[in-house]
Amino acid sequence: MIRSLAASLAVLACAAAGAAAAQTPAPTPPAPSTDTPAPAAARPTITSSIKALLANAETRAVVEKHLPGIGDHPARPQFENMTLAQVAPMSQGAITPEIIAAIDEDLKKLPAA
């Protein structure tokens, strides 16, 4: 009988410990800081992918000025994740260092984002 009483007390002690642990509230995560505003998305540059340059209306206008039709090029999915400098050697002369320099110069003339 003492053994069964001891066993019962042990079970109750474990159950009570489990219930106490279950009742302990989880720590509350800290609230996000509102002191620092999120940085503004930077405008794409000459070192950005062609996809990024074409996704921004202002930079797209610059790229299309120097490379008309690039946004609608049928092979765009194959090169849009590359930079202009990476695509230049495969462009059969359509993208030259001079064109890249002119695009870079015009991109730098755009007002700050």
Side-chain angles (χ1 to χ4, degrees), residues 9-54:
L9 290 175
V11 168
L12 286 174
C14 287
Q23 293 177 359
T24 304
T28 305
S33 173
T34 56
D35 297 343
T36 308
R43 181 179 288 120
T45 67
I46 197 70
T47 60
S48 299
S49 69
I50 294 170
K51 182 177 185 177
L53 287 166
L54 295 175

Side-chain angles (χ1 to χ4, degrees), residues 3-113:
R3 283 188 185 171
S4 64
L5 181 60
S8 296
L9 290 175
V11 168
L12 286 174
C14 287
Q23 293 177 359
T24 304
T28 305
S33 173
T34 56
D35 297 343
T36 308
R43 181 179 288 120
T45 67
I46 197 70
T47 60
S48 299
S49 69
I50 294 170
K51 182 177 185 177
L53 287 166
L54 295 175
N56 178 289
E58 294 172 311
T59 58
R60 181 185 185 105
V62 170
V63 174
E64 288 280 353
K65 171 184 165 187
H66 296 281
L67 296 168
I70 191 170
D72 299 321
H73 194 283
R76 179 178 168 187
Q78 297 170 352
F79 63 75
E80 69 181 1
N81 291 317
M82 301 169 74
T83 66
L84 290 169
Q86 291 172 324
V87 174
M90 299 174 269
S91 71
Q92 299 175 343
I95 302 174
T96 64
E98 294 78 20
I99 291 173
I100 294 173
I103 292 171
D104 187 34
E105 185 178 326
D106 285 353
L107 290 174
K108 289 177 180 175
K109 291 177 184 176
L110 292 174

